[in-house]
Amino acid sequence: MSPVAVGGPALFIGTDTDYVALVRPELDPADPGVRQAAAQAGVPPEEFAGAGDTWAVLIEHDGEGGGFELPGVRDAEPADFAERLRAELVAATGGPFTVDGGALLRLDARPAGPATDDAGTDGDAGGGGGAEAYVFTAHVTPPDDPSDDAGTPLTVETGPLPVAGLLADLDTFLGSLA
């Protein structure tokens, strides 16, 4: 099958193997992969691409992935979650904190310890007392679906994430929603 380029706002919190993500995928009907997939499905490319307005939560933990759609979620809700996470990271004094995303998502953060430089020494040159990296535990509760166990709560713990990189990712995500 041809690769299909997917765009749209996306916020990934975690590592390549353990993460939670808020995404609003957008397919370009002019993309050759989308056109080919639409032809195989027997529908026009515009119909295959869809509106691109449905948010989803994706998770990956120990090689097991999954996700679910969030119908009815507007851009303002993921933006609010990202803004609150950003505010907590900026205000953090090195202690744990929680960002509540409602019934579906909660992030518990705890300091991962001081980052080290390439020489293996403490990379903090007299910084402001905040943690340089955090480990997040994402508590994800999919919406209830009586046909399966989709409503079973899931927990994903990330590896240490550098604060500076996460702040840059949050700014990029928020900018994509502006």
Side-chain angles (χ1 to χ4, degrees):
M1 173 164 249
S2 299
V4 175
V6 178
L11 175 61
F12 286 83
I13 301 168
T15 63
D16 291 341
T17 58
D18 295 291
Y19 64 81
V20 62
L22 289 169
V23 299
R24 182 171 45 88
E26 295 174 354
L27 298 176
D28 180 1
D31 180 89
V34 171
R35 296 183 75 73
Q36 182 180 3
Q40 290 174 351
V43 298
E46 295 76 16
E47 182 180 334
F48 185 83
D53 62 355
T54 302
W55 282 92
V57 173
L58 304 178
I59 57 168
E60 179 85 21
H61 180 60
D62 291 337
E64 302 272 330
F68 52 90
E69 289 186 347
L70 302 171
V73 170
R74 302 174 325 272
D75 287 357
E77 294 162 278
D80 177 64
F81 180 81
E83 287 167 352
R84 287 185 289 125
L85 175 56
R86 189 182 195 299
E88 287 287 351
L89 287 167
V90 169
T93 58
F97 64 86
T98 296
V99 179
D100 191 350
L104 301 173
L105 176 63
R106 184 182 84 235
L107 283 181
D108 294 330
R110 68 180 186 282
T116 57
D117 59 21
D118 291 335
T121 60
D122 184 350
D124 183 9
E132 292 182 25
Y134 275 89
V135 172
F136 291 90
T137 303
H139 304 276
V140 180
T141 305
D144 288 329
D145 182 350
S147 67
D148 61 18
D149 64 350
T152 304
L154 307 165
T155 302
V156 176
E157 185 166 308
T158 72
L161 302 177
V163 171
L166 189 50
L167 287 171
D169 290 347
L170 286 163
D171 288 344
T172 299
F173 176 72
L174 290 166
S176 73
L177 295 174

